[in-house]
Amino acid sequence: MKAAAYICKGCGIGDRVSTAQMAKIAEREGKMNLVREHEFLCNASGVQTIRDDVEKEGVTHVMIAACSRRAKTEAFHFPAAAIARATSGRA
């Protein structure tokens, strides 16, 4: 198992919370093997980052910290990995 956390800074998230602190917590307490922050995780570049990590880095479990789970469900579909999403609670 290789777990990765992807933390979005977009849509005002980075203005409200410390994504750097979230990354540290994901790595230390969440025991994530890989942690990445991205300006807009749901855009083509952000989605490609996750796809590349699944394909090239062997990521099997993906945790996405971003906007509502109802948003961009089609973008965050990675059949080769288990997916979990964390949100701000405004879902």
Side-chain angles (χ1 to χ4, degrees), residues 4-85:
Y6 299 90
I7 302 167
C8 185
K9 298 179 183 182
C11 301
I13 296 169
D15 296 333
R16 292 178 181 85
V17 298
S18 170
T19 57
Q21 186 64 30
M22 289 174 61
K24 287 179 187 176
I25 291 169
E27 187 174 359
R28 291 182 188 157
E29 296 177 25
K31 308 288 188 222
M32 294 289 159
N33 303 106
L34 179 66
V35 179
R36 298 199 193 277
E37 296 176 65
H38 197 278
E39 292 300 320
F40 284 96
L41 197 56
C42 64
N43 72 12
S45 169
V47 171
Q48 191 61 49
T49 296
I50 299 171
R51 287 191 200 288
D52 288 346
D53 287 347
V54 169
E55 290 177 25
K56 298 174 184 169
E57 299 290 331
V59 170
T60 59
H61 292 71
V62 173
M63 191 287 299
I64 299 171
C67 57
S68 170
R69 286 179 276 207
R70 294 179 291 197
K72 302 292 184 174
T73 56
E74 69 286 345
F76 297 128
H77 178 72
F78 308 100
I83 309 291
R85 287 192 64 180

